[in-house]
Coordinates of all heavy atoms in Angstrom, one line a residue:
M9 N 13.0 -16.3 7.8 CA 11.8 -16.1 7.0 C 11.3 -17.4 6.4 O 12.1 -18.0 5.7 CB 12.2 -15.0 5.9 CG 11.0 -14.4 5.3 SD 11.3 -13.1 4.0 CE 12.8 -12.4 4.4
S10 N 10.1 -17.7 6.6 CA 9.6 -19.0 6.1 C 9.0 -18.8 4.7 O 8.7 -17.6 4.2 CB 8.5 -19.5 7.0 OG 7.4 -18.6 7.0
V11 N 8.7 -19.9 4.0 CA 8.2 -19.8 2.7 C 6.8 -19.2 2.7 O 6.5 -18.3 1.8 CB 8.1 -21.2 2.0 CG1 7.4 -21.2 0.7 CG2 9.6 -21.7 1.8
P12 N 5.9 -19.6 3.7 CA 4.6 -18.9 3.7 C 4.7 -17.4 3.9 O 3.9 -16.6 3.4 CB 3.8 -19.5 4.9 CG 4.5 -20.9 5.0 CD 5.9 -20.7 4.6
G13 N 5.7 -16.9 4.7 CA 5.9 -15.5 4.9 C 6.3 -14.8 3.6 O 5.9 -13.7 3.3
I14 N 7.2 -15.5 2.8 CA 7.6 -14.9 1.6 C 6.4 -14.8 0.6 O 6.3 -13.8 -0.1 CB 8.8 -15.7 1.0 CG1 10.0 -15.5 1.9 CG2 9.1 -15.2 -0.4 CD1 11.1 -16.5 1.5
V15 N 5.7 -15.9 0.5 CA 4.5 -15.9 -0.4 C 3.5 -14.8 0.0 O 2.9 -14.1 -0.8 CB 3.8 -17.3 -0.4 CG1 2.5 -17.3 -1.1 CG2 4.8 -18.3 -1.0
A16 N 3.3 -14.7 1.3 CA 2.3 -13.7 1.8 C 2.8 -12.3 1.5 O 2.1 -11.4 1.1 CB 2.1 -13.8 3.3
A17 N 4.1 -12.0 1.6 CA 4.7 -10.7 1.3 C 4.6 -10.5 -0.2 O 4.3 -9.3 -0.6 CB 6.2 -10.7 1.7
A18 N 4.8 -11.5 -1.0 CA 4.6 -11.3 -2.5 C 3.2 -11.0 -2.8 O 2.9 -10.1 -3.6 CB 5.0 -12.6 -3.2
V19 N 2.2 -11.6 -2.2 CA 0.8 -11.3 -2.5 C 0.5 -9.9 -2.0 O -0.2 -9.1 -2.8 CB -0.1 -12.4 -1.8 CG1 -1.6 -11.9 -1.9 CG2 0.1 -13.7 -2.4
V20 N 0.9 -9.5 -0.8 CA 0.7 -8.2 -0.3 C 1.3 -7.1 -1.3 O 0.7 -6.2 -1.6 CB 1.3 -8.0 1.1 CG1 1.3 -6.5 1.5 CG2 0.4 -8.8 2.1
G21 N 2.5 -7.4 -1.7 CA 3.2 -6.4 -2.6 C 2.5 -6.3 -4.0 O 2.3 -5.2 -4.5
L22 N 2.0 -7.4 -4.5 CA 1.3 -7.3 -5.8 C -0.1 -6.6 -5.6 O -0.5 -5.8 -6.5 CB 1.1 -8.7 -6.4 CG 2.4 -9.4 -6.8 CD1 2.2 -10.8 -7.2 CD2 3.1 -8.6 -7.9
V23 N -0.7 -6.9 -4.5 CA -2.0 -6.2 -4.3 C -1.8 -4.7 -4.1 O -2.6 -3.9 -4.7 CB -2.8 -6.9 -3.1 CG1 -4.0 -6.0 -2.7 CG2 -3.2 -8.3 -3.5
V24 N -0.9 -4.4 -3.3 CA -0.6 -2.9 -3.0 C -0.2 -2.2 -4.3 O -0.6 -1.1 -4.6 CB 0.4 -2.7 -1.9 CG1 0.8 -1.3 -1.8 CG2 -0.2 -3.2 -0.6
G25 N 0.7 -2.9 -5.1 CA 1.1 -2.3 -6.4 C -0.1 -2.1 -7.3 O -0.2 -1.1 -8.0
T26 N -1.0 -3.0 -7.4 CA -2.2 -2.9 -8.2 C -3.1 -1.8 -7.7 O -3.5 -0.9 -8.5 CB -3.0 -4.2 -8.3 OG1 -2.1 -5.2 -8.8 CG2 -4.2 -4.1 -9.2
L27 N -3.4 -1.8 -6.4 CA -4.2 -0.7 -5.8 C -3.6 0.7 -5.9 O -4.3 1.7 -6.1 CB -4.5 -1.1 -4.4 CG -5.4 -2.3 -4.2 CD1 -5.6 -2.6 -2.7 CD2 -6.8 -2.1 -4.8
G28 N -2.3 0.7 -5.8 CA -1.6 2.0 -5.9 C -1.8 2.7 -7.3 O -1.9 3.9 -7.4
R29 N -1.8 1.9 -8.3 CA -2.1 2.4 -9.6 C -3.5 3.0 -9.7 O -3.8 3.9 -10.4 CB -1.9 1.4 -10.7 CG -0.5 1.1 -11.0 CD -0.4 0.3 -12.3 NE -0.8 1.0 -13.5 CZ 0.0 1.8 -14.2 NH1 1.3 2.0 -13.8 NH2 -0.4 2.3 -15.3
L30 N -4.4 2.3 -9.0 CA -5.8 2.7 -9.1 C -6.1 4.0 -8.2 O -7.0 4.8 -8.6 CB -6.7 1.6 -8.6 CG -6.7 0.3 -9.5 CD1 -7.5 -0.8 -8.9 CD2 -7.2 0.6 -10.9
V31 N -5.4 4.1 -7.1 CA -5.7 5.2 -6.2 C -5.1 6.5 -6.7 O -5.7 7.6 -6.5 CB -5.1 4.8 -4.8 CG1 -5.2 6.0 -3.8 CG2 -5.9 3.7 -4.2
I32 N -3.9 6.5 -7.3 CA -3.2 7.7 -7.7 C -4.0 8.2 -9.0 O -4.1 7.5 -9.9 CB -1.7 7.4 -8.1 CG1 -1.0 6.8 -6.9 CG2 -1.1 8.7 -8.5 CD1 -0.8 7.7 -5.7
P33 N -4.5 9.5 -8.9 CA -5.3 10.0 -10.0 C -4.4 10.3 -11.2 O -3.2 10.6 -11.1 CB -6.0 11.2 -9.4 CG -5.1 11.7 -8.3 CD -4.4 10.4 -7.8
G34 N -5.1 10.4 -12.4 CA -4.4 10.9 -13.6 C -3.8 9.7 -14.4 O -3.8 8.6 -13.9
R35 N -3.3 10.1 -15.5 CA -2.6 9.1 -16.4 C -1.2 8.7 -15.8 O -0.5 9.6 -15.5 CB -2.5 9.6 -17.8 CG -1.9 8.6 -18.7 CD -1.9 9.2 -20.1 NE -1.1 8.3 -20.9 CZ -1.5 7.7 -22.0 NH1 -2.8 7.9 -22.4 NH2 -0.8 6.9 -22.6
K36 N -0.9 7.5 -15.8 CA 0.3 7.0 -15.2 C 1.4 6.9 -16.3 O 1.1 6.3 -17.4 CB 0.2 5.7 -14.5 CG -0.4 5.7 -13.2 CD -1.9 6.0 -13.2 CE -2.6 5.9 -11.9 NZ -4.0 6.2 -12.1
Q37 N 2.6 7.4 -16.1 CA 3.7 7.2 -17.0 C 4.5 6.0 -16.7 O 5.5 5.7 -17.4 CB 4.6 8.5 -17.0 CG 3.8 9.7 -17.3 CD 3.4 9.8 -18.8 OE1 4.0 9.2 -19.7 NE2 2.2 10.4 -19.0
V38 N 4.2 5.3 -15.7 CA 4.9 4.1 -15.2 C 4.2 2.8 -15.7 O 3.0 2.7 -15.6 CB 5.0 4.1 -13.7 CG1 5.7 2.9 -13.2 CG2 5.6 5.4 -13.2
P39 N 5.0 1.9 -16.2 CA 4.3 0.6 -16.7 C 3.8 -0.2 -15.5 O 4.3 0.0 -14.4 CB 5.5 -0.1 -17.4 CG 6.7 0.6 -17.2 CD 6.4 1.9 -16.5
V40 N 2.8 -1.0 -15.8 CA 2.1 -1.8 -14.8 C 3.2 -2.7 -14.1 O 3.2 -2.8 -12.9 CB 1.0 -2.6 -15.4 CG1 0.4 -3.6 -14.3 CG2 -0.1 -1.7 -15.9
W41 N 4.0 -3.3 -14.9 CA 5.0 -4.3 -14.3 C 5.9 -3.6 -13.3 O 6.3 -4.2 -12.3 CB 5.8 -5.0 -15.4 CG 6.7 -4.1 -16.1 CD1 6.5 -3.4 -17.3 CD2 8.0 -3.7 -15.7 NE1 7.5 -2.7 -17.7 CE2 8.5 -2.8 -16.7 CE3 8.9 -3.9 -14.7 CZ2 9.8 -2.2 -16.7 CZ3 10.1 -3.4 -14.6 CH2 10.6 -2.5 -15.6
L42 N 6.2 -2.3 -13.5 CA 7.1 -1.6 -12.5 C 6.4 -1.3 -11.2 O 7.0 -1.5 -10.2 CB 7.6 -0.3 -13.2 CG 8.5 0.5 -12.3 CD1 9.8 -0.3 -12.0 CD2 8.9 1.8 -13.0
T43 N 5.1 -1.0 -11.2 CA 4.4 -0.7 -10.0 C 4.3 -2.1 -9.2 O 4.4 -2.1 -8.0 CB 3.0 -0.1 -10.2 OG1 2.3 -0.9 -11.0 CG2 3.2 1.3 -10.7
L44 N 4.0 -3.1 -9.9 CA 3.9 -4.4 -9.3 C 5.3 -4.9 -8.7 O 5.3 -5.4 -7.6 CB 3.4 -5.5 -10.3 CG 2.0 -5.3 -10.8 CD1 1.7 -6.4 -11.8 CD2 1.0 -5.4 -9.7
A45 N 6.3 -4.6 -9.4 CA 7.7 -5.0 -8.9 C 8.0 -4.1 -7.7 O 8.6 -4.7 -6.7 CB 8.7 -4.8 -10.0
V46 N 7.7 -2.8 -7.7 CA 8.1 -2.0 -6.6 C 7.3 -2.4 -5.4 O 7.8 -2.5 -4.3 CB 7.8 -0.5 -6.9 CG1 7.8 0.4 -5.7 CG2 8.8 0.0 -8.0
G47 N 6.0 -2.7 -5.6 CA 5.2 -3.2 -4.4 C 5.7 -4.5 -3.9 O 5.8 -4.7 -2.7
L48 N 6.1 -5.4 -4.7 CA 6.6 -6.7 -4.3 C 7.9 -6.6 -3.6 O 8.1 -7.1 -2.5 CB 6.8 -7.6 -5.6 CG 7.5 -8.9 -5.3 CD1 6.5 -9.8 -4.6 CD2 7.8 -9.6 -6.7
V49 N 8.9 -5.8 -4.1 CA 10.2 -5.6 -3.4 C 10.0 -4.9 -2.1 O 10.6 -5.3 -1.1 CB 11.1 -4.9 -4.3 CG1 12.4 -4.4 -3.6 CG2 11.5 -5.7 -5.5
A50 N 9.1 -3.9 -2.0 CA 8.9 -3.1 -0.8 C 8.3 -4.0 0.3 O 8.6 -3.9 1.4 CB 8.1 -1.9 -1.1
A51 N 7.3 -4.9 -0.1 CA 6.7 -5.7 0.9 C 7.7 -6.8 1.4 O 7.7 -7.1 2.6 CB 5.5 -6.5 0.2
L52 N 8.6 -7.3 0.5 CA 9.6 -8.2 1.0 C 10.6 -7.5 1.9 O 11.0 -8.0 2.9 CB 10.4 -8.8 -0.2 CG 9.6 -9.8 -1.0 CD1 10.3 -10.2 -2.3 CD2 9.2 -11.0 -0.2
L53 N 10.9 -6.2 1.6 CA 11.8 -5.5 2.5 C 11.1 -5.2 3.8 O 11.7 -5.2 4.9 CB 12.2 -4.1 1.9 CG 13.2 -4.2 0.7 CD1 13.4 -2.9 0.1 CD2 14.5 -4.8 1.2
G54 N 9.8 -5.0 3.8 CA 9.0 -4.9 5.0 C 9.1 -6.1 5.9 O 9.1 -6.0 7.1
T55 N 9.1 -7.3 5.3 CA 9.2 -8.5 6.0 C 10.6 -8.6 6.7 O 10.7 -8.9 7.8 CB 9.0 -9.7 5.1 OG1 7.8 -9.7 4.5 CG2 9.2 -11.0 5.8
I56 N 11.6 -8.2 5.9 CA 13.0 -8.3 6.5 C 13.1 -7.2 7.6 O 13.7 -7.5 8.6 CB 14.0 -8.0 5.3 CG1 14.0 -9.2 4.3 CG2 15.4 -7.8 5.9 CD1 14.7 -8.9 3.1
L57 N 12.6 -6.0 7.4 CA 12.7 -5.0 8.4 C 12.0 -5.4 9.7 O 12.5 -5.2 10.8 CB 12.1 -3.7 7.8 CG 12.1 -2.5 8.8 CD1 13.5 -2.0 9.1 CD2 11.3 -1.4 8.2
S58 N 10.8 -5.9 9.5 CA 10.0 -6.3 10.7 C 10.7 -7.4 11.5 O 10.7 -7.5 12.7 CB 8.6 -6.8 10.3 OG 8.6 -7.9 9.6
R59 N 11.4 -8.3 10.7 CA 12.2 -9.4 11.4 C 13.4 -8.8 12.1 O 13.7 -9.2 13.2 CB 12.6 -10.4 10.4 CG 13.3 -11.6 11.0 CD 13.6 -12.6 10.0 NE 14.2 -13.7 10.7 CZ 13.8 -15.0 10.5 NH1 12.9 -15.2 9.5 NH2 14.4 -16.0 11.1
L60 N 14.0 -7.8 11.5 CA 15.2 -7.1 12.2 C 14.9 -6.4 13.4 O 15.7 -6.4 14.4 CB 15.9 -6.2 11.2 CG 16.6 -6.8 10.0 CD1 17.2 -5.8 9.1 CD2 17.8 -7.7 10.5
V61 N 13.7 -5.8 13.5 CA 13.3 -5.0 14.7 C 12.5 -5.9 15.7 O 12.1 -5.4 16.7 CB 12.5 -3.7 14.3 CG1 13.3 -2.8 13.5 CG2 11.2 -4.1 13.7
G62 N 12.4 -7.1 15.4 CA 11.8 -8.0 16.4 C 10.3 -8.2 16.3 O 9.6 -8.7 17.2
I63 N 9.6 -7.7 15.2 CA 8.2 -7.8 15.1 C 7.8 -9.2 14.7 O 6.7 -9.7 15.1 CB 7.6 -6.8 14.1 CG1 7.8 -5.4 14.6 CG2 6.2 -7.0 13.8 CD1 7.4 -4.3 13.7
D64 N 8.7 -9.9 14.0 CA 8.4 -11.2 13.5 C 8.1 -12.2 14.7 O 9.0 -12.4 15.5 CB 9.6 -11.7 12.7 CG 9.3 -13.0 11.9 OD1 8.1 -13.3 11.7 OD2 10.2 -13.8 11.6
G65 N 7.0 -12.8 14.7 CA 6.6 -13.7 15.8 C 6.5 -15.1 15.2 O 7.3 -15.5 14.3
D66 N 5.7 -15.9 15.8 CA 5.5 -17.2 15.3 C 4.6 -17.2 14.1 O 3.3 -17.2 14.2 CB 4.9 -18.1 16.4 CG 5.9 -18.3 17.6 OD1 7.1 -18.3 17.3 OD2 5.4 -18.5 18.7
G67 N 5.1 -17.2 12.9 CA 4.3 -17.1 11.7 C 4.1 -15.7 11.3 O 4.9 -14.8 11.5
Y68 N 3.0 -15.5 10.7 CA 2.6 -14.2 10.0 C 1.8 -13.4 11.0 O 0.7 -13.9 11.4 CB 1.9 -14.5 8.7 CG 1.8 -13.3 7.8 CD1 3.0 -12.8 7.2 CD2 0.6 -12.7 7.5 CE1 2.9 -11.7 6.4 CE2 0.6 -11.6 6.7 CZ 1.7 -11.1 6.1 OH 1.7 -10.1 5.2
T69 N 2.2 -12.2 11.3 CA 1.4 -11.4 12.3 C 0.8 -10.1 11.7 O 1.2 -9.7 10.6 CB 2.3 -10.9 13.5 OG1 3.4 -10.1 12.9 CG2 3.0 -12.1 14.2
L70 N -0.1 -9.5 12.4 CA -0.8 -8.3 11.9 C 0.2 -7.2 11.8 O 0.2 -6.4 10.9 CB -2.0 -8.0 12.8 CG -2.7 -6.7 12.4 CD1 -3.3 -6.8 11.0 CD2 -3.8 -6.4 13.4
R71 N 1.1 -7.1 12.8 CA 2.1 -6.0 12.8 C 3.0 -6.1 11.6 O 3.4 -5.1 11.0 CB 2.9 -6.0 14.1 CG 2.1 -5.6 15.3 CD 2.9 -5.5 16.5 NE 3.2 -6.9 16.9 CZ 4.0 -7.2 17.9 NH1 4.6 -6.3 18.6 NH2 4.2 -8.5 18.3
Q72 N 3.4 -7.3 11.2 CA 4.2 -7.5 10.1 C 3.5 -7.1 8.8 O 4.0 -6.5 7.9 CB 4.6 -9.0 10.0 CG 5.6 -9.3 8.9 CD 6.1 -10.8 8.9 OE1 5.5 -11.6 9.6 NE2 7.1 -11.1 8.2
L73 N 2.2 -7.4 8.7 CA 1.4 -7.0 7.6 C 1.3 -5.5 7.5 O 1.4 -4.9 6.4 CB 0.0 -7.6 7.7 CG -1.0 -7.2 6.6 CD1 -0.6 -7.8 5.3 CD2 -2.4 -7.7 7.0
I74 N 1.2 -4.8 8.6 CA 1.1 -3.4 8.6 C 2.4 -2.8 8.1 O 2.4 -1.8 7.3 CB 0.8 -2.8 10.0 CG1 -0.7 -3.2 10.3 CG2 1.0 -1.3 10.1 CD1 -1.1 -3.0 11.8
V75 N 3.5 -3.3 8.5 CA 4.8 -2.8 8.0 C 4.9 -3.1 6.5 O 5.4 -2.2 5.7 CB 6.0 -3.5 8.7 CG1 7.3 -3.2 8.1 CG2 6.0 -3.1 10.2
Q76 N 4.5 -4.2 6.0 CA 4.6 -4.5 4.6 C 3.7 -3.6 3.8 O 4.2 -3.0 2.8 CB 4.2 -6.0 4.3 CG 5.1 -7.0 4.8 CD 4.6 -8.4 4.6 OE1 3.4 -8.6 4.4 NE2 5.4 -9.4 4.8
V77 N 2.5 -3.4 4.2 CA 1.6 -2.6 3.4 C 2.0 -1.1 3.5 O 2.0 -0.4 2.5 CB 0.1 -2.7 4.0 CG1 -0.8 -1.7 3.4 CG2 -0.4 -4.1 3.7
G78 N 2.5 -0.7 4.6 CA 3.0 0.7 4.7 C 4.2 1.0 3.8 O 4.2 1.9 3.0
L79 N 5.2 0.1 3.8 CA 6.4 0.3 2.9 C 6.0 0.2 1.5 O 6.4 1.0 0.6 CB 7.4 -0.7 3.3 CG 8.4 -0.4 4.4 CD1 9.4 -1.5 4.7 CD2 9.2 0.9 4.0
A80 N 5.2 -0.8 1.1 CA 4.8 -1.0 -0.3 C 3.9 0.2 -0.7 O 4.1 0.7 -1.9 CB 4.0 -2.3 -0.4
G81 N 3.0 0.7 0.1 CA 2.2 1.8 -0.3 C 3.0 3.0 -0.5 O 2.8 3.8 -1.5
V82 N 3.9 3.3 0.4 CA 4.8 4.5 0.2 C 5.6 4.4 -1.1 O 5.8 5.3 -1.8 CB 5.7 4.7 1.5 CG1 6.7 5.7 1.2 CG2 4.8 5.1 2.6
A83 N 6.2 3.2 -1.3 CA 7.1 3.0 -2.4 C 6.3 3.2 -3.7 O 6.8 3.9 -4.7 CB 7.8 1.7 -2.4
V84 N 5.1 2.6 -3.8 CA 4.3 2.7 -5.1 C 3.9 4.1 -5.3 O 3.9 4.6 -6.4 CB 3.1 1.7 -5.0 CG1 2.2 2.0 -6.1 CG2 3.6 0.3 -5.1
A85 N 3.4 4.8 -4.2 CA 3.0 6.2 -4.3 C 4.1 7.1 -4.8 O 3.9 7.9 -5.7 CB 2.4 6.7 -3.0
L86 N 5.3 6.8 -4.3 CA 6.5 7.6 -4.8 C 6.8 7.4 -6.2 O 7.1 8.3 -7.0 CB 7.7 7.3 -3.9 CG 7.7 7.9 -2.5 CD1 8.9 7.4 -1.7 CD2 7.8 9.4 -2.6
V87 N 6.8 6.1 -6.6 CA 7.2 5.8 -8.0 C 6.1 6.3 -9.0 O 6.4 7.0 -10.0 CB 7.4 4.3 -8.2 CG1 7.4 3.9 -9.6 CG2 8.6 3.8 -7.5
V88 N 4.8 6.1 -8.7 CA 3.8 6.5 -9.6 C 3.6 8.0 -9.5 O 3.4 8.7 -10.6 CB 2.5 5.8 -9.2 CG1 1.3 6.4 -10.0 CG2 2.6 4.3 -9.5
G89 N 3.7 8.6 -8.4 CA 3.5 10.1 -8.2 C 4.6 10.9 -8.8 O 4.4 12.0 -9.2
T90 N 5.8 10.4 -8.9 CA 7.0 11.2 -9.3 C 7.5 10.9 -10.7 O 8.3 11.6 -11.2 CB 8.2 11.1 -8.3 OG1 8.6 9.7 -8.3 CG2 7.8 11.6 -7.0
A91 N 7.0 9.8 -11.3 CA 7.5 9.4 -12.6 C 6.9 10.1 -13.7 O 5.7 10.3 -13.7 CB 7.4 7.9 -12.8
G92 N 7.7 10.5 -14.7 CA 7.2 11.0 -16.0 C 6.3 12.2 -15.9 O 5.1 12.1 -16.4
G93 N 6.7 13.3 -15.3 CA 5.9 14.5 -15.3 C 5.7 15.0 -16.7 O 6.4 14.7 -17.6
R94 N 4.7 15.9 -16.9 CA 4.3 16.4 -18.2 C 5.4 17.4 -18.6 O 5.8 18.2 -17.8 CB 3.0 17.1 -18.1 CG 1.9 16.1 -17.8 CD 0.6 16.7 -18.0 NE 0.1 16.5 -19.4 CZ -0.9 16.9 -19.9 NH1 -1.7 17.7 -19.2 NH2 -1.3 16.7 -21.1
T95 N 5.7 17.4 -19.8 CA 6.6 18.4 -20.4 C 5.9 19.3 -21.3 O 5.1 18.9 -22.1 CB 7.8 17.7 -21.1 OG1 7.2 16.9 -22.2 CG2 8.6 16.9 -20.2
E96 N 6.1 20.6 -21.3 CA 5.5 21.5 -22.1 C 6.3 21.7 -23.4 O 7.6 21.8 -23.3 CB 5.4 22.9 -21.4 CG 4.5 22.8 -20.2 CD 3.0 22.5 -20.5 OE1 2.5 22.9 -21.6 OE2 2.4 21.7 -19.7
P97 N 5.7 21.8 -24.5 CA 6.4 21.9 -25.8 C 7.1 23.3 -26.0 O 6.8 24.2 -25.4 CB 5.4 21.7 -26.9 CG 4.1 21.8 -26.2 CD 4.3 21.7 -24.8

């Protein structure tokens, strides 16, 4: 994994984390830093996963980006969607 690949994964993760907060409706019980961190970690895991299955080519590829965005999107949606449900008094 090269430095530009890591930087690209970090940017993808932060963007997906930010957009995930905007897309999920309603008030969020999850702090902003947590959604950004989840997006970042999931995108980095997407880079590692794509390399393990042989998607990693010479540099940064579209298939690798798809894996990163997919994993980060699912992770952010799970965290934001399941965290802190409403409690009735």
Side-chain angles (χ1 to χ4, degrees):
M9 193 177 337
S10 65
V11 173
I14 293 171
V15 171
V19 170
V20 166
L22 294 175
V23 168
V24 171
T26 303
L27 292 176
R29 285 191 69 84
L30 297 174
V31 172
I32 306 291
R35 185 178 168 119
K36 283 72 169 178
Q37 300 294 327
V38 180
V40 173
W41 65 266
L42 183 60
T43 58
L44 295 175
V46 167
L48 176 68
V49 170
L52 289 172
L53 288 175
T55 300
I56 294 168
L57 179 67
S58 65
R59 186 176 185 134
L60 288 175
V61 298
I63 292 176
D64 189 27
D66 295 331
Y68 197 67
T69 64
L70 179 61
R71 290 184 286 175
Q72 188 176 12
L73 176 66
I74 291 169
V75 171
Q76 288 174 349
V77 170
L79 274 176
V82 167
V84 169
L86 284 173
V87 169
V88 172
T90 60
R94 297 188 91 182
T95 58
E96 296 296 324

